[in-house]
Amino acid sequence: QTSRDQPRRDAMAHRAFARLQTLQNQLAPFDASALEGYLDLKQNAYLELRQKSRIYSLACGYIARQKSVQSFRYSPELLSGDLVDSEHVSETPCPTTIGLGFFEFEWRKHRLSALHQTLGEPVGVSNAAELYTNLVLFTKRETSQVLAQFCQELVQESERTQAGFVNVFEWHPTQQFWQARVVCPARRIESVVLDEGVKERLLGDIEEFLGEDTRRWYKEH
């Protein structure tokens, strides 16, 4: 072999290293080197939340409300659940969600951590270029079930109803889920003006749909 072969060998070695690095990234939703000095991965379990998911937005919003957070990002598309009344639309404080970085927080006396990151190169989607973004939650292995419980409670809280109010959801065409938008005061049925007989039929349909017989029918079928 001559010195002229060296560039070719270097190129082959570079491609092999790149393939190995790609494989390592495919086996875990994060780069382990980014967590050096923060976590002992051998003692922690993790759960990945992808950006184009409802729970990702809810979890980022929850973490952003913790007092220790310093990295923020203004994303009005992530707003959800604002209270609206007939005369005033509440102003949502900004920033609305977390920026990139490593975060530590507590939930129900459990210590959790989160890595909010981008991975890889920009990829063309629709009429823009995007970086793959995810949120990875961490906790001790012996309490790994806490991660799913945390996510489940966030979803339940986002759907919780209040007497006298109506939750309004909007379909998110890009991320493909129903996103909570506003909470509006419910109107008195007496204030709803409909043609004669329509209101009675509508209320009858609602009463039938919410009845025990209907519940039992759907359970059986």
Side-chain angles (χ1 to χ4, degrees):
Q1 293 183 345
T2 65
S3 58
R4 288 180 297 180
D5 296 325
Q6 188 62 39
R8 183 170 60 87
R9 290 197 299 271
D10 290 344
M12 292 176 61
H14 177 75
R15 287 195 295 270
F17 176 76
R19 285 196 296 270
L20 177 61
Q21 195 171 39
T22 300
L23 178 60
Q24 290 174 338
N25 289 339
Q26 290 173 344
L27 295 177
F30 55 87
D31 183 353
S33 63
L35 295 171
E36 291 181 3
Y38 293 103
L39 286 177
D40 183 351
L41 292 177
K42 294 181 180 179
Q43 298 182 12
N44 282 266
Y46 56 85
L47 175 67
E48 179 188 14
L49 307 179
R50 298 187 177 185
Q51 183 181 29
K52 296 183 183 296
S53 67
R54 179 183 178 189
I55 186 60
Y56 165 87
S57 301
L58 295 174
C60 287
Y62 178 89
I63 297 171
R65 293 192 293 272
Q66 309 308 305
K67 294 181 179 179
S68 60
V69 174
Q70 294 178 300
S71 175
F72 295 97
R73 176 166 54 91
Y74 179 69
S75 279
E77 72 275 9
L78 299 180
L79 301 178
S80 63
D82 299 327
L83 180 62
V84 176
D85 60 33
S86 58
E87 299 179 358
H88 176 264
V89 178
S90 62
E91 295 184 3
T92 303
C94 62
T96 59
T97 189
I98 54 173
L100 299 179
F102 182 79
F103 305 87
E104 294 179 312
F105 61 100
E106 286 193 2
W107 175 77
R108 296 196 175 278
K109 298 183 179 180
H110 294 285
R111 292 194 60 81
L112 305 179
S113 304
L115 177 65
H116 192 209
Q117 61 175 353
T118 59
L119 291 172
E121 298 296 325
V123 176
V125 290
S126 185
N127 60 345
E130 290 186 1
L131 282 168
Y132 181 83
T133 304
N134 67 0
L135 180 73
V136 186
L137 304 175
F138 298 87
T139 191
K140 295 295 183 182
R141 283 192 172 188
E142 56 268 23
T143 57
S144 59
Q145 73 279 0
V146 169
L147 298 177
Q149 294 170 357
F150 169 70
C151 294
Q152 184 177 20
E153 182 168 300
L154 290 182
V155 172
Q156 291 173 345
E157 280 296 309
S158 73
E159 297 175 349
R160 183 172 57 86
T161 58
Q162 307 174 55
F165 292 88
V166 176
N167 294 343
V168 179
F169 291 81
E170 179 182 37
W171 179 248
H172 198 304
T174 303
Q175 299 186 9
Q176 299 289 296
F177 64 84
W178 287 98
Q179 181 176 8
R181 271 303 182 192
V182 294
V183 181
C184 299
R187 290 180 59 178
R188 293 183 299 108
I189 190 63
E190 293 79 13
S191 70
V192 180
V193 179
L194 294 171
D195 292 338
E196 184 177 356
V198 174
K199 183 185 297 186
E200 289 73 15
R201 292 197 300 272
L202 176 61
L203 292 176
D205 287 344
I206 294 174
E207 185 175 353
E208 180 182 1
F209 180 76
L210 297 177
E212 287 298 325
D213 290 342
T214 303
R215 186 188 301 271
R216 191 179 306 111
W217 188 91
Y218 275 103
K219 187 175 182 180
E220 292 174 355
H221 297 81

